Amino acid sequence: MPYYVFFLGALMLVTGLAELQKDRKGFWGYMNIAISLFIFFASIGCTIETTISGLFYLFKKSTLIG
C-alpha cells in the first residue's frame, strides 16, 4: 500500500510539472506539486512505521520463544 501511495505522489508531481510547462502557471500546477510532496512524506512515513512495527513484532516474538 505505501508503494501505491508513493506512485500516486509521483503521478501528481508529473501532472503539476506538466501544468507549469504549459505556461499555465495557475493555482492547480502549484497545488499538484504541494499535494505530491505531502503524499511523498506520508508514504515514506507509512513505510518507516510499518518496518519499525514489524521489527518490534519480530523482536517480541523471538524473545518470547527463547
Side-chain angles (χ1 to χ4, degrees), residues 21 24-25 29 43-45 47 63:
Q21 279 189 341
R24 288 194 271 173
K25 299 194 187 321
S43 69
I44 291 170
T47 304
T63 56

Side-chain angles (χ1 to χ4, degrees), residues 8-21 32-33 36 40:
L8 175 67
L11 177 67
M12 295 283 291
L13 180 65
V14 169
T15 304
L17 292 175
E19 286 290 319
L20 292 179
Q21 279 189 341
N32 280 339
I33 292 173
S36 72
F40 281 139

Side-chain angles (χ1 to χ4, degrees), residues 12-13 28-41:
M12 295 283 291
L13 180 65
W28 291 111
Y30 293 115
M31 183 58 78
N32 280 339
I33 292 173
I35 291 171
S36 72
L37 292 175
F38 174 74
I39 290 173
F40 281 139
F41 286 125

Side-chain angles (χ1 to χ4, degrees), residues 1-2 42-57:
M1 187 70 166
S43 69
I44 291 170
C46 287
T47 304
I48 291 172
E49 179 185 359
T50 304
T51 303
I52 290 173
S53 64
L55 290 175
F56 280 137
Y57 174 76

